[in-house]
Amino acid sequence: EPEVTQTPSHQVTQMGQEVILRCVPISNHLYFYWYRQILGQKVEFLVSFYNNEISEKSEIFDDQFSVERPDGSNFTLKIRSTKLEDSAMYFCASGTSGYQETQYFGPGTRLLVL
Amino acid sequence: GESVGLHLPTLSVQEGDNSIINCAYSNSASDYFIWYKQESGKGPQFIIDIRSNMDKRQGQRVTVLLNKTVKHLSLQIAATQPGDSAVYFCAENSPGAAGNKLTFGGGTRVLVKP
């Protein structure tokens, strides 16, 4: 069964450093998402991406964040200058047709900012 | 039920018994709902979904009930097994939510006792 994959599984970085989190969505999916989950809290929406542009972003997704689909398979989340409060589990998700359709999640990348 | 912050409500259930997990959703305009299961260190895994034109939907050992009048969703798991131990989240999708973002509830931890 096709799955969303994410790399790395864990990332430790120093405050102020840039990180890039990578995702390979399910191959025939057209809608891509990033969510995050701070330890013990709810899963929170960050951004959605369709047709090579951002469809919606949350207030968390400020200028330090960017997303890109550099080729036909990868979907990346970049944090330019990490802060301590960026420490969280970051999940990529993908879906076939957007509204009222299931979003399938990857296993996540655990980001720790020191 | 719902939770805020670090305190997840916990449902302890004997193996073989039925489990009922509840969720109060926030947006009366939401018309698509998903239940996800999250095991420790993993991403949310799709269990079952329901659209607002239905009040009940059944899957394999799972049933979702939707009460739009009181904005309440429940997940019933029949003959609960040790592998059902996890945190369960409901998520809602609203029309006009650009980018099809999902809004997640706080989660309920299910512990299955052998």
Side-chain angles (χ1 to χ4, degrees), chain A residues 34-74:
Chain A
W34 284 101
Y35 292 80
R36 80 171 186 191
Q37 185 178 32
I38 295 172
L39 185 63
Q41 297 188 20
K42 297 180 184 183
V43 176
E44 302 174 287
F45 170 81
L46 290 178
V47 66
S48 58
F49 191 86
Y50 169 71
N51 199 26
N52 278 321
E53 61 183 24
I54 291 174
S55 305
E56 187 181 7
K57 56 185 180 181
S58 72
E59 60 274 11
I60 302 168
F61 194 90
D62 61 21
D63 292 343
Q64 293 301 313
F65 290 86
S66 62
V67 290
E68 192 177 32
R69 188 156 162 82
D71 53 42
S73 60
N74 291 284

Side-chain angles (χ1 to χ4, degrees), chain A residues 6-11 88-90 107-111, chain B residues 41:
Chain A
Q6 291 184 243
T7 54
S9 58
H10 295 78
Q11 174 99 43
M89 196 77 164
Y90 287 80
T109 293
R110 184 173 297 282
L111 176 66

Side-chain angles (χ1 to χ4, degrees), chain A residues 1-13:
Chain A
E1 186 175 326
E3 293 180 332
V4 176
T5 60
Q6 291 184 243
T7 54
S9 58
H10 295 78
Q11 174 99 43
V12 181
T13 190

Side-chain angles (χ1 to χ4, degrees), chain A residues 31 33 35 37 39-45 48-49 55-56 58 89 91 97-108 110, chain B residues 2-3 5-8 31-32 34 36 38 41-44 46 49 51 89 93-95 97-102 104-106:
Chain A
Y31 292 78
Y33 310 86
Y35 292 80
Q37 185 178 32
L39 185 63
Q41 297 188 20
K42 297 180 184 183
V43 176
E44 302 174 287
F45 170 81
S48 58
F49 191 86
S55 305
E56 187 181 7
S58 72
M89 196 77 164
F91 295 108
S97 57
Y99 182 59
Q100 288 200 346
E101 292 295 333
T102 304
Q103 296 177 22
Y104 295 90
F105 283 73
R110 184 173 297 282
Chain B
E2 288 291 334
S3 71
L6 300 174
H7 301 287
L8 282 178
D31 58 4
Y32 177 61
I34 309 174
Y36 285 96
Q38 187 178 28
K42 296 185 179 180
F46 171 82
D49 59 0
R51 292 179 172 77
F89 292 95
N93 187 203
S94 306
N100 312 307
K101 74 174 185 182
L102 294 176
F104 280 76

